[in-house]
């Protein structure tokens, strides 16, 4: 149960440079049973570090499978995180008032990073370890550009080169994210590109291909695998990526202490799972260890791409094409193509394996929300608190408001905490569509999911 | 002289809600001689409060002419400012290292406001006083949209209606700022509009008029003057606007104390003058009172619109059309049309009268910098510190870097402080032009200034 909130009407809780966490929290140490192994797609056997060595530096491979509870954050990483961390924790007093709720609403604001989201938290760490192991160039893919811009910034900080394969339709329609990456010195090409065999093959079949995240991943992986100076970098899903994001939750816990309060409900939107995990895993620790049994943790996904709530918990490919190792996760089938949702960061057929494990074990809940209701929540938030949220983050806001209204109905005085994972400065086209009444809710037919689920390979871990 | 800097390598200095200043600093109290009066354009006589009453609430008119040194900030304003204030003060260690300078560089970052610049500091105050005096609707003009979005946000916070006359060419070419204003509930129309007599007249002559700030001001003023429920609001130039911005400098002084340091050089870009004044006036106070005689304060303007460095200190109209009262300021002549500079916020023919007075008295310096060198500085900054600055703010960065390089040459260990007045998220088109080598430096011919200066009315205060 929450203590009484602080008496003084504070709006936010800021922390000093020195309060940036010194260690990441590795939830693998506290799982009831170990996370299922990642399997080789050919042999069906667990893969080893050497299988991943062409793509990732050894330190990240170690972190991926580590069972140590706390992993030290090198000072070189902390000094870069200090450019925007600790991020502020807000008490949403104006939103509470607008809702007339008896709940206390808090949000952790990750949009303060120069790239505008939580993504740089892991980009900086990944680039640092690559540099330490002699890598001089990193390749990655990006859809709308959120991850690509985070990596572009991190590589320029450490003096590495960066090549970003950007899904062609986004490259053409969203120039601002591309320019941002170029301002930070990255080379950005529209994918499919003639720079790789994978891209060349697609272009030969369809010179006007709009591209897809699956194709872009194939290009970036090929780039890294075929060049000695280059490794690959991924912005979500993997265990080490989620762990790098736990600075969010660790800071939030300290800030709630300053507020003399405790969370009853913790909420994050979930696409690949990294911002959700970053906020919630340090809180989930208290559930796993029995310290806070009543705490609720809620992952929010779009109704148009409901991997946790409608998918199956099975081994599937991480990418659309079916080239990656097999991971056990809640999946809609790797061939599932979600509707053209404005929350581009949530359009993923699967979900981070560690998030899925917690969901499977009943540690966390999940809920799917439709698009229009999500933008309604975003508008309510923007007019009360000022910040215009990213459409992805608005999913968390929707459920935070729903929970606050539940508290009002039930007369409960709970503390609700959500992750405002980024701002919407590059998503204003979506707001325009909403304001013009042009947004739609994608009803997803059960047959479509059932069909995509048939693409799941027949593998048991 | 600066004390030794703090030993611990801190990146930023954050303050708590409670450290938001309780009072604004009014520099009029410390001027050697009173600021010249504002004159009625018809009579040439000083105007009184009643002349301004149709446009502004009485409290703001009082603040405009007040000689009190400190004016209390109502708690209702402070609680809204707490949504982003105090803003962080950064020690730019990574920039210092990139430059190899012996100087210490600090920047105050105002881009943390939800509207992305310092403008909301005064928008919130102005809307508050309007509301207190029963006003339910505010009209204003905006060029690129920085000011309009700040006012849109402030009006939604206090439940007032807002109408923004947005220069038509910006309305068409920069939709994101417009959508931002609409997200916060403002009504935005392209100016010239058929909604006013002024707009109707222009449209009758030229239905395809691209509009201008001068026309938009005329429309907003007419709107306010002809409706009982509506007042007008201005985002810069006026004394009370500059005073509302002094929270920036007051916080910065406290933060430098925390850093155990003192500024030797204080720098801000200057268009209308409000962000420059906001940072520098609390420091100028120490010069005016003889406490810090050696402190240098530098206003930076674009070479393409150099009102301080090339204009005359005379009475001129505040607007392009010649409808406003006459103010004594450094002006290029109210008919001066600057080149289509990317730093739209610095394209003003005049300058805030209080900034001009300090310049005239030798309290502050001014320097004009060309556009390409400004973007070079912005790139250096973005790659070292992460944040992509607004083109306006990049003018301050240019001179901060120049000063740091001077320190390096002279072997001096000075502390340089500048105002990073906003981020460049809505200006990435300008960065694209720079990266593509398409920016130019506008050489402004002396004849052009001389001609515009002939538009200055023949009035002596």
């Amino acid at each position: 149960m929450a203590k009484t909130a602080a008496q003084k009407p504070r709006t936010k809780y800021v922390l000093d440079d020195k309060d940036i966490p010194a260690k990441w929290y590795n939830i693998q140490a506290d799982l009831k049973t170990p996370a299922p192994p990642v399997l080789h797609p050919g042999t069906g056997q667990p893969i080893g570090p050497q299988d991943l060595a062409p793509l990732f530096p050894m330190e990240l491979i170690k972190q991926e499978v580590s069972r140590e509870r706390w992993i030290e954050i090198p000072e070189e990483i902390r000094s870069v995180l200090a450019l925007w961390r600790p991020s502020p924790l807000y008490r949403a007093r104006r939103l509470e008032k607008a809702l007339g709720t008896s709940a206390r609403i808090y949000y952790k604001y990750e949009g303060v990073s120069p790239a505008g989201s939580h993504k740089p938290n892991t980009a900086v760490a990944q680039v640092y370890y690559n540099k330490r192991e002699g890598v001089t160039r990193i390749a990655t893919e990006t859809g709308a550009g959120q991850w690509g811009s985070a990596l572009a910034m991190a590589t320029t900080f450490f003096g590495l080169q960066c090549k970003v394969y950007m899904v062609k339709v986004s490259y053409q329609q969203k120039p601002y994210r591309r320019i941002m990456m170029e301002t930070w010195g990255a080379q950005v090409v529209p994918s499919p590109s003639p720079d790789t065999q994978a891209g060349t093959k697609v272009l030969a079949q369809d010179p006007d291909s709009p591209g897809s995240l699956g194709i872009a991943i194939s290009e970036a992986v090929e780039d890294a695998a075929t060049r000695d100076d280059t490794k690959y970098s991924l912005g979500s899903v993997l265990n080490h990526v989620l762990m790098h994001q736990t600075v969010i939750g660790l800071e939030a816990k300290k800030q709630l202490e300053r507020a003399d309060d405790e969370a009853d409900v913790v909420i994050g939107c979930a696409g690949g799972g990294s911002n959700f995990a970053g906020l919630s895993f340090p809180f989930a620790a208290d559930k796993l260890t029995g310290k806070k049994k009543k705490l609720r943790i809620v992952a929010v996904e779009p109704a148009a791409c409901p991997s946790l709530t409608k998918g199956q918990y099975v081994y599937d490919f991480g990418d659309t094409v079916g080239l990656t190792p097999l991971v056990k996760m809640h999946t809609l089938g790797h061939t599932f193509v979600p509707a053209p949702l404005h929350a581009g960061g949530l359009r993923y057929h699967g979900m981070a394996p560690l998030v899925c494990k917690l969901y499977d074990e009943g540690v966390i809940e999940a809920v799917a929300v439709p698009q229009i209701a999500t933008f309604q929540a975003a508008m309510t938030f923007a007019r009360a608190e000022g910040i215009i949220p990213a459409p992805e983050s608005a999913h968390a806001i929707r459920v935070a408001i729903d929970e606050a209204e539940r508290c009002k109905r039930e007369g409960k005085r709970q503390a609700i905490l959500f992750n405002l994972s980024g701002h919407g400065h590059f998503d204003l086209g979506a707001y325009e569509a909403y304001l013009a009444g042009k947004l739609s809710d994608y009803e997803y037919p059960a047959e479509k999911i059932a069909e995509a689920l048939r693409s799941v390979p027949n593998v048991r871990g």
Side-chain angles (χ1 to χ4, degrees), chain A residues 6 27 42 53 64 243 327 383:
Chain A
I27 201 166
E64 187 67 15
M243 186 185 75
V327 289
R383 292 185 181 186

Side-chain angles (χ1 to χ4, degrees), chain A residues 218-339:
Chain A
S218 302
E219 289 205 89
V221 167
E222 180 190 321
D223 182 318
T226 55
R227 284 182 61 150
D228 279 348
D229 62 348
T230 302
K231 298 277 185 203
Y232 171 70
S233 188
L234 195 66
S236 190
V237 178
L238 300 179
N239 302 346
H240 68 271
V241 177
L242 272 55
M243 186 185 75
H244 296 158
Q245 295 292 357
T246 58
V247 290
I248 302 171
L250 293 168
E251 288 174 7
K253 286 180 94 169
K254 191 178 280 190
Q255 288 163 313
L256 280 176
E257 270 172 37
R258 299 269 171 102
D260 197 18
D261 209 343
E262 285 179 28
D264 296 294
V265 189
V266 175
I267 300 165
C269 67
S274 78
N275 97 76
F276 168 75
L279 177 68
S280 69
F281 280 9
F283 290 90
D286 294 338
K287 281 197 85 165
L288 289 165
T289 57
K291 203 171 139 195
K292 297 263 176 68
K293 290 184 180 169
K294 287 188 178 171
L295 174 68
R296 291 175 53 216
I297 300 174
V298 187
V300 189
E301 52 188 16
C305 193
S307 46
L308 286 171
T309 52
K310 305 265 182 169
Q312 292 180 1
Y313 188 44
V314 291
Y315 271 97
D316 197 3
F317 294 104
D319 65 331
T320 312
V321 184
L323 294 172
T324 68
L326 294 164
V327 289
K328 191 168 180 187
M329 59 180 175
H330 287 79
T331 177
L332 297 163
H334 64 278
T335 62
F336 180 76
V337 179

Side-chain angles (χ1 to χ4, degrees), chain A residues 47-245:
Chain A
I47 60 168
Q50 288 316 315
D51 295 307
L52 295 171
L55 296 184
F56 301 103
M58 201 44 70
E59 181 60 32
L60 293 177
I61 295 171
K62 275 191 211 162
Q63 290 181 4
E64 187 67 15
V65 295
S66 170
R67 304 280 302 272
E68 276 180 64
R69 182 169 288 111
W70 297 101
I71 293 183
E72 196 170 328
I73 308 178
E75 194 47 44
E76 293 89 338
I77 293 175
R78 294 178 79 229
S79 74
V80 174
L81 294 182
L83 291 171
W84 66 92
R85 303 211 73 82
S87 66
L89 178 82
Y90 279 87
R91 170 83 186 267
R93 293 185 185 275
R94 297 177 54 85
L95 177 63
E96 291 170 16
K97 203 174 164 192
L99 300 174
T101 179
S102 49
R104 301 181 299 289
I105 306 176
Y106 295 90
Y107 57 98
K108 181 76 170 162
Y109 184 38
E110 291 294 307
V112 292
S113 83
S117 80
H118 64 292
K119 295 280 184 189
N121 296 332
T122 184
V124 167
Q126 291 189 44
V127 173
Y128 168 77
Y129 289 117
N130 271 287
K131 177 168 182 155
R132 221 179 54 175
E133 297 185 24
V135 178
T136 58
R137 183 173 172 278
I138 298 184
T140 199
E141 72 286 336
T142 201
Q146 196 76 268
W147 166 242
S149 51
L151 192 68
M153 184 179 78
T155 47
T156 202
F157 283 164
F158 287 102
L160 274 70
Q161 291 181 280
C162 182
K163 180 154 181 180
V164 181
Y165 295 87
M166 186 174 189
V167 176
K168 196 197 275 173
V169 62
S170 295
Y171 182 95
Q172 290 167 338
Q173 289 176 3
K174 300 196 169 179
Y176 270 26
R177 278 276 172 204
R178 168 180 60 75
I179 302 166
M180 210 172 185
M181 293 183 253
E182 290 171 346
T183 298
W184 284 318
Q187 185 196 357
V188 188
V189 293
S191 167
S193 80
D195 300 3
T196 65
Q197 290 188 4
T200 305
K201 200 179 288 178
V202 176
L203 287 172
Q205 288 166 0
D206 177 11
D208 297 324
S209 165
S212 72
L213 209 53
I215 297 168
I217 292 175
S218 302
E219 289 205 89
V221 167
E222 180 190 321
D223 182 318
T226 55
R227 284 182 61 150
D228 279 348
D229 62 348
T230 302
K231 298 277 185 203
Y232 171 70
S233 188
L234 195 66
S236 190
V237 178
L238 300 179
N239 302 346
H240 68 271
V241 177
L242 272 55
M243 186 185 75
H244 296 158
Q245 295 292 357

Side-chain angles (χ1 to χ4, degrees), chain A residues 30-41:
Chain A
D30 291 320
L31 294 175
K32 293 174 197 167
T33 57
V38 174
L39 304 182
H40 191 284

